[in-house]
Structure formats: C-alpha cells, structure tokens
Amino acid sequence: MATTARRADRWAGVVSFLDSPWAAPAVVLVVLATGAALLAAWYGVSAVSAFWFGSIGSWYGFTSGTLVRAVPLILTGLGVAIAFRAGVFNIGADGQLLAGATAAAYVGLEWSAALGHASLPAALILGTAAGALWAGVAALLRARFGVLEVISTLMLNFVATDLVAFLVRGPLQEPLHIYPQSATLPSVARLPTFGPTTQLHWGLALALVLAGAVWWFLARTAAGFRLRIVGANPFAAAVTGRVRVTRVAAWAFLASGALAGLAGAIEITAVTYALYDNLSPGYGFTAIAVAVLAGLNPVGVVFAGVLFAALETGATAMQRDAGVPSVWASVVEAALILILVAGASIRARAGNRHLRDAAS
Amino acid sequence: MNKRRFSIIINTTIALAVVACSDAPKSAGAAATPFRVALLTPGPVSDHSWNAGAYEGLLRIRDSLGAAISNIETKTPADFEDNFRQYGAQAYRLVFGHGFEFQDAARRVAPDYPNTDFVTTSGNTTGPNLAGLEFDLANPSYLAGMIAGAMTRTGVIGVIGGTELPPVRKSFVAFEQGARRANPHVRVLTSYIGNWDDVSAGREQALAQIARGADVIFQNADAAGLGVFQAARQSAHVYVFGSNSNQNDVAPDVTLGSVVIDLPHAFLTVAREVKDGTFRGRVISLGMTDDVVSLVLNPAMTSRIPAPVLTTVDSVRAQMLRGAFSAVDTLAPVAP
C-alpha cells in the first residue's frame, strides 16, 4: 500500500507540473538546450553560433528571416487550432494555403489594372475566401455525407498542388511561356515591407491582430464557447439542444480554411510576388505541430510559430555558414512534438488514476 | 521536489546555452579568405545529376582557385531570396543559383550587393552583376543529328523534350539540321512531355513516335527521359541519344551517344572570370569550343555506326572546334 501511495504521489507531482503553464516552455527549453549541446559536441561551436545568429541572434536574421517565415506558420497554426478546438481534424491547411495563394495571384495579375489601389485588399480578401472555399469542399462532405475530414483534406492537398502545377504551365504562366511560374505581381498588389532594408512585411501585424481576435473569440464570446463544447464533447453539446453541432463544426472548418488561405495570399503579395510550384515547403503540416505545441491556444500559436520559424531559419543558416545538414532542425521539431504528446498522455492517464483514487 | 529538480535542469541548460552562444564570435562575417563562392541548389546535391554536377563544380572551384565555398539546398522562392541576401551581406564574391527559378530572386537582390556577382544557371536575366549561364548544345546536337540521319531506316526520327525551354528547342533545331545534312528527306517528329520527371509519360511519347515510324530518338527530358530508353528497349531497331549527362550506361544496348554538359567545368570557367575580374553581366553561353558541351558516343554501339559516317562526324567536329563551321544557333525550325 505504501508503494502505491508513493507512486500516486510522484505522479501527482508530474501532473501538477504538466498542468502548470510553464510545462511547454520548459520542455522547449530543455529540448533546445539538449539539441544545442549535441550540435556543439558534434559540429563544434561554429554550428551553434551560425544557428544563433541566423535565427534570433541578429536583428536581420530575426526580423527578415525568422519573423517573415513565422507569418504563414502563425496564420495556418491559428487555422489548425480553431479546427482542432471544434473537433475538426483539418490537415489540409497546405492545400487551403495554395488555394489562397492562387486566388491572390490571379487577382493581383489579372484585375490590378482595373482595381488600382484596391488590388491588394482584393487579393487578400479573395485569397481568404478561396482558402475557405477549399476547406468548404471538405466541410460539406463531412456535414452532408459524414466523410472523414482527415481523408478529404489530405486528398485536397494533392489536388491543390497539382492545380497550381497546371496553372503555372497553362493559364497563369508568365507571358514568355518559358518558365513554370506566373508573371510577377505589379507593385499596387504587393503588401509593403516595414522599410527598404528589411524583408519584414505588414503580414506580421495582420497575423498578430488575428491571433488576438481568435483568442478573444474563443475565450470571450458565446459562439466561441459553443465551438469549444462541440470540440470537447459533441454528444453532450447536442443533448443541450442549444448547439447545432454540425453547423458549428462546419463554420470552424471554414474559418480554419480562411486563415490558411490568407496565409497563402500574404506569401504571394509580400514574399514571392508570383505563383510557383513548391510555393509552400509544407507550412500547412508544420502548422499542425505549431498548434499542438501551443496547446491549441491562439496566443501560444504566435510563440510556437516564431519558435518553429526560428528553428528552420537557424537550420538554414547553419547549413549555409557551418555546413551542417539542415535536417537537424526537423529532428528537434519532431522531438518537441513527441515529448509534448507523451506529456499530454501522461497527464490524461494520471488524471484518470487520480479520479479513481478519489472515488475509492 | 519535482519542481526543484526541474528548475535545476532548466537553469543548467540555460547556462549551457548562454555559454555555447556567447563565446561564438561572428565567424561568418569576418573570415579572411578573399575569394568566396556560394551555391544555391533547388534539390539535394546527392542526386547524381543536376545538383550533384553543380556541387562538383563548386568543389572544383575550391580546389583549383583556392576559394572558400558554401552551399545550401533551398526549396521555396522565399528561401532563394533570403539566402542570396545572406551571401551578399557576407560579401561572397560569386553566388550561383542553380536553375532558372532563381532568377527573379537574383534580380531583386543583385542591385543591393554590387560587390557580389550573381549567376543563375539556365537564366536569361542580366544586370551589371547578374548573369545567366546557358549551355550551347547546338554543335554536339548537330553531330548527333548527322548520325541519326545516316542511321534511320525509315527516314523518320524524333525529338522528345521535357518542356519547351529555349536551350532545348535550339538543341533540337540543330539536331534536325545535322540530320538533314546526312539525309535531306528525313522527317522529324517533335514532342514535349510537359514535365521533367514523369517517366511513364516519357515512355508514352516515345512509343507514340515509334508507332509513327521514328527509329532514332533524341531526348532531353532528365528523369522523364528514362521512359524514352524503356520504350526503345521494348521496340526493335530503335536507337536513342541522351542529353545533359552521360546517359550511355542507362541503356547501353540502344543508346548511340549523349550530348553531355560538363557542369563542373562550366562553373569553374565562370568562377575564373570573376576571380580575374573579367566578369560582365550577360548571358554566358558555353558550348563545344569552351570544352563544356560535347557529344560522347557509346563505345558499346560505335560498331553499329558505319565507318564513313563516323569519319564525316569527326571532320565536322574538327571544323567546329577550329571555328570553321557551326550549327546555326536559332529557335526557328529549319526550312525543309
């Protein structure tokens, strides 16, 4: 009996730590420090230094590298967080991002002569709408026919990728019809940067405002509350008779796609200025990791997005300046996710044991 | 207890991290090496093909010119621009972007770093410190065409490309010229697969040409071109010419030869210009007389080519190297 009690005690300590808001940052710090120590041991201090200065240790690296890369991760991460909160497993953020990028490129290229200074807002709004529409296909299939969104959104990613590949070789190809890419957007359709010497653009401000808005929506509004109960327990939500579960989930799905679509529109109007193959290096998939690491908390998504962006730009700098393979960052990202998921599972199991002990 | 243990771990790791970061000088910006060269590739340098050739060129620049080198695999247009800027900011003398897709980013970045020369392979965008590097396949393609025109039994030959890029098309036009020199009545079928990696689409295109009578096919389609070799193998009496790398070993029983680009030598040639200060922003075209492009015949198949044909090819090749003769470098199809 004494051992059981002691074991329960030990679990209680772990659980109370995992429940505290410091759990995720602590895990992140430990994993990062371990990674840095291993790096220094294997490749020498120059690798760690390249990583540091390339990601957050220099003003240029932080603003023009990390933060620029963080914008699509934050926006798609917010999208994934909203969907997951509503119990919708949207893993198609990458496809929705491409849909948004395509619409923004189309508007910027074809309508900018007519729209003038309205081109940029039009590109962003229609990009957002295209992302929602792309998610809407899967949302409709789910609401009408009960098609699993994990399957449909994943498949729609491939459709979007191939659609972009077709468009940049066909209707949207640059005027010389030589290269598989679209023409470059005119300057009226471009999102400005914060200054001439930086790559950092106003998309960051948009992402931060939206993170705040999503947080406020989920935490402070009745609709946000309904979304959360649908995610927590759809059956209980249905039983109340006050929540239309299918409809709430569908709206969350659309909002999720809209955020990913906006991310794509911003990439086009602020970073690449043209539509290409390989536009997204898997932003929509990294977004899942970002959202999970953030505990599906919109404010946490901002930090997790910046963290993953820093890992990736740092890894690039490390390959560039120290010759270290950039897959190292993927290993750290994977380790973070594994440890956090394991932590969540320990918490759930220990929580159950706690309840049983209390009941007996 | 647990919390205390955790805080100890965290404090130790933070201390470690701080130590690791603080004693690192800004090694990147302050290296003393005068000549530094960087390479951006669109894929892994272990691909035994396009990117591997460029990396080998970078290594040759290091070994022959004593340059300090750096390379990075970049995946998205955002990465292209960022890495160009980083190398520019670190005052690299020469930065290669290995593919046409790099030229938009290079054009935006080049004016900000006038002391760095930017070169995009297969690009046609130029500026004071921005050049495109293109390979003139015309002469060796002409020689391959001469052999094809002499060897066809049906009087029909084919060319199959990945997509209709200007260098590919020029190469095909020269091939057709060469074939007409050997056989004025030869008919040339032209197809483009639409991409560079769909092997089965390459095979389908080749089978379609073979069904229309083509018995010598010149392909320039990278990975998709492997399908052309497959199609030739499963048909009787069909020969193939390869492009870009030496593909004679891919299907030694049907491949007459390959129009080979010596990427490492091309990179070294450009780097030497930069080092000597003779570099100008332009489309740098390197061909047979630069020792960068050549027709490499498959030794296992030369016995099938009639000796008089080989003799003529050798004499035309000698004329080309002397500068006495050149295939017309044009995009326009040859008048029949």
Side-chain angles (χ1 to χ4, degrees):
Chain A
M1 274 302 107
T3 29
T4 328
R6 211 179 302 150
R7 197 187 299 152
D9 202 37
R10 190 164 65 208
W11 280 117
V14 174
V15 170
S16 77
F17 171 73
L18 287 171
D19 279 334
S20 78
W22 302 107
V27 167
V28 168
L29 270 179
V30 171
V31 173
L32 284 183
T34 314
L38 291 176
L39 254 185
W42 266 319
Y43 293 104
V45 174
S46 69
V48 182
S49 129
F51 187 92
W52 173 255
F53 288 111
S55 57
I56 52 173
S58 68
W59 180 247
Y60 182 86
F62 182 61
T63 54
S64 291
T66 297
L67 288 184
V68 171
R69 179 123 192 169
V71 171
L73 291 180
I74 293 172
L75 285 170
T76 46
L78 286 174
V80 170
I82 285 197
F84 280 27
R85 276 287 185 94
V88 172
F89 293 99
N90 174 15
I91 56 173
D94 224 42
Q96 292 140 23
L97 180 144
L98 288 177
T102 306
Y106 180 80
V107 171
L109 290 170
E110 306 289 329
W111 295 357
S112 59
L115 291 177
H117 286 286
S119 307
L120 177 63
L124 294 180
I125 290 167
L126 282 166
T128 309
L133 190 73
W134 205 252
V137 176
L140 187 72
L141 288 173
R142 182 188 201 257
R144 263 304 147 74
F145 306 109
V147 175
L148 280 178
E149 71 275 14
V150 174
I151 310 283
S152 59
T153 53
L154 185 66
M155 292 299 150
L156 282 166
N157 283 340
F158 296 111
V159 178
T161 306
D162 286 339
L163 201 61
V164 170
F166 161 72
L167 289 171
V168 297
R169 288 175 177 80
L172 281 181
Q173 195 176 21
E174 43 87 32
L176 295 175
H177 292 288
I178 295 176
Y179 301 117
Q181 64 186 58
S182 76
T184 329
L185 289 193
S187 53
V188 280
R190 295 185 186 182
L191 193 62
T193 57
F194 283 117
T197 56
T198 180
Q199 306 300 304
L200 188 59
H201 51 78
W202 282 92
L204 180 72
L206 211 50
L208 293 179
V209 168
L210 281 168
V214 171
W215 172 83
W216 175 80
F217 170 77
L218 287 176
R220 292 280 185 273
T221 67
F225 180 66
R226 281 197 291 273
L227 187 150
R228 284 185 286 136
I229 21 176
V230 166
N233 192 333
F235 305 105
V239 165
T240 61
R242 304 264 178 123
V243 181
R244 284 189 277 194
V245 174
T246 316
R247 182 174 291 198
V248 169
W251 276 113
F253 213 153
L254 291 182
S256 172
L259 284 161
L262 178 63
I266 289 177
E267 278 300 283
I268 289 285
T269 54
V271 180
T272 70
Y273 305 134
L275 189 65
Y276 296 82
D277 278 335
N278 311 327
L279 185 80
S280 162
Y283 286 133
F285 295 104
T286 311
I288 299 171
V290 166
V292 169
L293 176 61
L296 306 186
N297 176 328
V299 178
V301 164
V302 173
F303 291 99
V306 172
L307 172 72
F308 274 66
L311 277 172
E312 282 164 16
T313 49
T316 311
M318 206 160 63
Q319 185 181 7
R320 193 174 54 224
D321 299 336
V324 177
S326 59
V327 287
W328 180 85
S330 318
V331 175
V332 171
E333 285 174 10
L336 277 176
I337 297 302
L338 266 180
I339 292 172
L340 286 167
V341 171
S345 138
I346 289 174
R347 177 166 52 182
R349 240 191 259 177
N352 289 345
R353 190 168 303 150
H354 237 53
L355 288 177
R356 270 209 308 278
D357 289 352
S360 62
Chain B
M1 183 61 209
N2 286 297
K3 274 187 181 166
R4 196 179 306 154
R5 196 181 301 156
F6 252 100
S7 74
I8 290 170
I9 294 171
I10 290 167
N11 283 327
T12 323
T13 48
I14 290 175
L16 270 176
V18 168
V19 169
C21 299
S22 58
D23 68 357
K26 260 196 159 177
S27 58
T33 331
F35 190 58
R36 295 197 295 166
V37 181
L39 165 70
L40 276 64
T41 54
V45 296
S46 53
D47 67 352
H48 295 290
S49 172
W50 179 247
N51 298 305
Y55 184 61
E56 211 183 299
L58 191 68
L59 295 180
R60 207 177 282 183
I61 291 169
R62 182 191 65 190
D63 298 338
S64 302
L65 304 179
I69 59 167
S70 168
N71 71 292
I72 179 136
E73 180 187 340
T74 50
K75 295 177 192 76
T76 67
D79 286 347
F80 303 163
E81 178 161 350
D82 185 43
N83 285 289
F84 274 140
R85 281 189 190 283
Q86 297 278 1
Y87 283 126
Q90 295 178 29
Y92 272 69
R93 283 282 302 284
L94 170 61
V95 183
F96 288 100
H98 193 44
F100 69 86
E101 60 267 47
F102 289 92
Q103 56 185 335
D104 284 347
R107 185 176 45 213
R108 283 200 291 270
V109 172
D112 295 347
Y113 302 97
N115 296 323
T116 301
D117 291 324
F118 295 88
V119 175
T120 59
T121 322
S122 319
N124 56 10
T125 313
T126 59
N129 60 334
L130 171 59
L133 174 58
E134 114 185 346
F135 304 104
D136 181 3
L137 305 178
N139 279 339
S141 304
Y142 183 95
L143 298 177
M146 286 174 65
I147 296 175
M151 300 236 347
T152 175
R153 302 178 184 191
T154 56
V156 183
I157 60 176
V159 293
I160 297 179
T163 57
E164 203 173 344
L165 300 180
V168 176
R169 198 157 142 203
K170 283 181 188 169
S171 159
F172 288 172
V173 171
F175 179 81
E176 190 170 344
Q177 282 182 324
R180 284 199 198 292
R181 172 167 176 158
N183 176 355
H185 304 294
V186 77
R187 203 153 68 84
V188 181
L189 308 175
T190 306
S191 336
Y192 290 95
I193 297 166
N195 64 64
W196 297 86
D197 47 28
D198 189 341
V199 178
S200 63
R203 190 168 150 272
E204 292 307 316
Q205 293 283 6
L207 287 174
Q209 290 199 346
I210 291 166
R212 291 171 61 195
D215 60 353
V216 184
I217 298 176
F218 179 36
Q219 66 86 11
N220 186 341
D222 287 356
L226 298 177
V228 177
F229 292 104
Q230 290 176 6
R233 273 188 147 159
Q234 70 185 72
S235 317
H237 304 299
V238 174
Y239 298 118
V240 181
F241 279 101
S243 283
N244 300 335
S245 60
N246 188 336
Q247 298 183 308
N248 295 346
D249 294 335
V250 175
D253 47 337
V254 296
T255 310
L256 291 172
S258 302
V259 173
V260 178
I261 301 173
D262 187 347
L263 272 176
H265 190 69
F267 272 52
L268 184 60
T269 307
V270 174
R272 199 165 266 148
E273 273 192 10
V274 171
K275 195 173 187 190
D276 297 346
T278 55
F279 177 91
R280 285 173 298 110
R282 68 195 193 281
V283 175
I284 304 167
S285 180
L286 298 175
M288 208 159 102
T289 46
D290 308 288
D291 272 338
V292 166
V293 185
S294 58
L295 174 66
V296 178
L297 291 177
N298 179 5
M301 295 290 282
T302 38
S303 59
R304 308 259 186 111
I305 305 173
V309 176
L310 286 177
T311 317
T312 323
V313 166
D314 279 342
S315 77
V316 173
R317 189 203 310 260
Q319 285 177 7
M320 286 170 169
L321 290 174
R322 275 204 313 274
F325 175 76
S326 183
V328 178
D329 187 10
T330 174
L331 279 176
V334 190

